[in-house]
Amino acid sequence: GAVVSQHPSWVICKSGTSVKIECRSLDFQATTMFWYRQFPKQSLMLMATSNEGSKATYEQGVEKDKFLINHASLTLSTLTVTSAHPEDSSFYICSAGGGWLAKNIQYFGAGTRLSVL
Amino acid sequence: GESVGLHLPTLSVQEGDNSIINCAYSNSASDYFIWYKQESGKGPQFIIDIRSNMDKRQGQRVTVLLNKTVKHLSLQIAATQPGDSAVYFCAEKPVYGNKLVFGAGTILRVKS
């Protein structure tokens, strides 16, 4: 149980375009989803916390207009990187938690490698 | 601010030996601790967790020890295998809230 699916796993885009990343909890209802960014050989940096049906809570320093988060259902959250630039290139990872299966634990997706040319 | 840190950034062990990965945390109000394993290019994978009212928990080939007195967490891997090679993160969850605070990570390299 506790499977989180993240798509796409790898995306290359041109500077100025927008990219959408999907995160789905496949076998449980996640009341909360989290979006992280990870640079090479570094730890996970929390970008935002997303609760179903409400606006996401962004961490300090994260531009909410640049990283749009939608959490329309208990099993799906999306992260859209708007007008992407090379400095947005990174590894983005989502996690899901909450519900009876993941009360205290976050289960992670496989991550999305974003390369902006 | 609050942080979770690790003593050793890289740990090299011989295949078959036991591995011990350490983690120091600073938030005494945390009530839940988790170890994750992250292989290259993948998302973190849950290994084992422990509540703050426990001091030891065992899983399959893994044991987590919690010493609240010195705010120390460790992950023990028995009979380490090449497939155990990865980055290991400890994470803590404060009593209030659902965010996890991650440590810096320890690279585990298993030599055959």
Side-chain angles (χ1 to χ4, degrees):
Chain A
V3 178
V4 176
S5 174
Q6 185 174 344
H7 291 283
S9 58
W10 191 24
V11 57
I12 302 174
C13 69
K14 292 182 179 180
S15 184
T17 60
S18 296
V19 175
K20 180 184 283 189
I21 303 170
E22 287 191 353
C23 182
R24 294 180 184 271
S25 57
L26 298 185
D27 52 1
F28 70 104
Q29 292 185 326
T31 55
T32 308
M33 288 188 173
F34 305 83
W35 288 95
Y36 294 83
R37 184 173 180 175
Q38 186 178 34
F39 293 101
K41 296 185 179 181
Q42 292 190 23
S43 188
L44 287 77
M45 181 185 76
L46 180 65
M47 298 174 65
T49 302
S50 170
N51 291 298
E52 185 263 340
S54 61
K55 291 184 178 180
T57 301
Y58 290 82
E59 294 299 300
Q60 191 173 11
V62 178
E63 299 176 59
K64 59 181 64 177
D65 293 331
K66 176 147 199 69
F67 299 100
L68 299 179
I69 292 172
N70 182 275
H71 192 165
S73 74
L74 286 173
T75 59
L76 174 64
S77 177
T78 60
L79 168 68
T80 301
V81 183
T82 62
S83 186
H85 291 284
E87 59 266 28
D88 299 323
S89 298
S90 190
F91 193 53
Y92 293 88
I93 315 173
C94 72
S95 71
W100 67 271
L101 185 61
K103 183 179 178 183
N104 291 306
I105 302 168
Q106 292 179 25
Y107 292 96
F108 286 83
T112 298
R113 174 81 51 200
L114 172 63
S115 296
V116 184
L117 304 178
Chain B
E2 302 291 354
S3 65
V4 178
L6 297 178
H7 297 302
L8 299 174
T10 303
L11 176 65
S12 293
V13 298
Q14 195 67 38
E15 181 180 359
D17 288 350
N18 296 333
S19 303
I20 300 176
I21 301 172
N22 297 300
C23 177
Y25 65 94
S26 58
N27 187 352
S28 57
S30 292
D31 67 339
Y32 211 81
F33 301 88
I34 306 167
W35 280 101
Y36 288 95
K37 171 187 179 183
Q38 186 178 26
E39 296 176 270
S40 181
K42 298 182 180 179
Q45 176 187 1
F46 169 81
I47 302 174
I48 192 168
D49 59 342
I50 188 169
R51 288 189 175 279
S52 60
N53 60 357
M54 301 170 66
D55 53 19
K56 180 179 180 179
R57 191 170 187 211
Q58 289 184 295
Q60 188 176 13
R61 275 202 312 120
V62 295
T63 301
V64 56
L65 299 177
L66 176 63
N67 186 331
K68 294 181 289 295
T69 301
V70 295
K71 296 179 187 173
H72 186 266
L73 189 69
S74 69
L75 176 70
Q76 300 178 1
I77 304 174
T80 312
Q81 302 168 0
D84 294 326
S85 294
V87 179
Y88 289 81
F89 293 98
C90 64
E92 61 174 327
K93 190 189 80 65
V95 171
Y96 299 107
N98 55 6
K99 297 181 185 179
L100 293 180
V101 177
F102 283 85
T106 293
I107 300 172
L108 176 64
R109 290 202 177 102
V110 182
K111 298 175 286 187
S112 299

